Amino acid sequence: MPGGNTRTTVFMEPHPLYGARGQGCRVWDVDGVERIDCINNFTAMIHGYAEPHINAAVAEQLALGTAFGMPTPSEIDLAELLCARLPSVDHVRFTNSGTEAVMMALKAARAFTGRPKIAKCEGAYHGSYDFAEISLDSSPENWGNTPRSVPYSKGTPQGVLDDVVVIPFNDIEESLAILGRQSGELAAILVDPLPNRAGLIPADADYVAALRRFCDETGTLLIFDEVISFRLGFHGAQGLWGINPDLTTLGKIIGGGFPVGAVGGRGDVMAVFDPSSGRPALPHGGTFSANPISMIAGRVAMELLDENAYAHLDSLGAQARAGIAEAFAKSGVTGSVTGAGSLLRVHFTDGPIQGYRSAFATPEQARRMKQFTLGLINNGVLAAPYGLMALSTPMTSADIDLVVDAVRKSLATLA
Ligand code: PMP
């Protein structure tokens, strides 16, 4: 495996910690060291590890078979749950990952509108589809006064760059000016209401409303990428923001710990997938799409996420953000914490975080982040290497105290 494992996201020098097992909010590495897990497989494991209801349901299905060349009732159950929770979603298609969900949403938007281009926010992560990863990590040397289409991977075709319009997150005036120059060619605007890589600050309600208006006026589709943000509320970020997107992409938590993704939305748009009147505008398969293990685990996980569970997660998140902000203030180390609900991100940048550019770390700030997350590891807490933490339902207020204590110790070492 190039670099020693299969995911750039878990690479670490001199080598990553290798996981052995997890229980609740704790994980043990292969050396037997126990830690509180604030990565939760990059936000997917919202109920932590070995949740007994999920395990029991999956064990029952394992004995019956794991994937068929037939649909199963399990996909109907999860689709009904998602449609009930997300009023903007009339129909759902399942995929195996969030990347695929975003890819199918963008292709659906093109198929529905007959237009080639998509718009996305600078610095926002939406998975590995060529079009979705443009300007994911544009840097001061190439970002220009207003956002430009910058390749993420070497070898990105010029055609992809030409068909992706990049807008500055939360900047209404500039975004509308850029979009206005492209209208008529734009199939969709892809937005994450709480973009993790662009600073983990919430989209302003006015910003999202302005994008919704632009889409209504120009026949462009608004796509919410809720692969992560569905963990913010019972009706997703769209429920909290009070906006109905035309399409929504989902993943992570809706698989209950198993591979999953989904695209859902307006019935007339989702009809591009429908083969019942002949060849659809957008044929879509996927060998393991809607496999009953992911569907069943996902349904049980989502049923466990009732309003009480969200309230518990919100309160843990508020406690963690307040504790970490206080730890920064007392340590004298320059930095801040952003986030909402059960998500938070630590920054070592100066000044308030307003979006991707103000959250962008200089090499020295990036070095501090590396030292900080290593300090957390050595004090019993796992966080993503860029400072993201995602909390889980089995955590208690006492666990958050332990997390904040690890932050305090790690900041003290940095100071
Ligand atoms: N969209 C967003 C907002 C994400 O955070 C991610 C994954 N972190 C994806 C899409 C891609 O999902 P996956 O890793 O399941 O392909």
Side-chain angles (χ1 to χ4, degrees), residues 42-43 96-100 102 125-128 192 196-197 225-229 249 251-252 260-261 386:
F42 292 87
T43 80
N96 298 293
S97 68
T99 289
E100 269 181 82
V102 169
Y125 183 67
H126 299 284
S128 307
D192 178 342
N196 148 43
R197 302 282 189 98
D225 184 349
E226 295 228 33
V227 167
I228 289 186
S229 68
T249 55
K252 303 208 192 242
V260 85
Y386 52 92

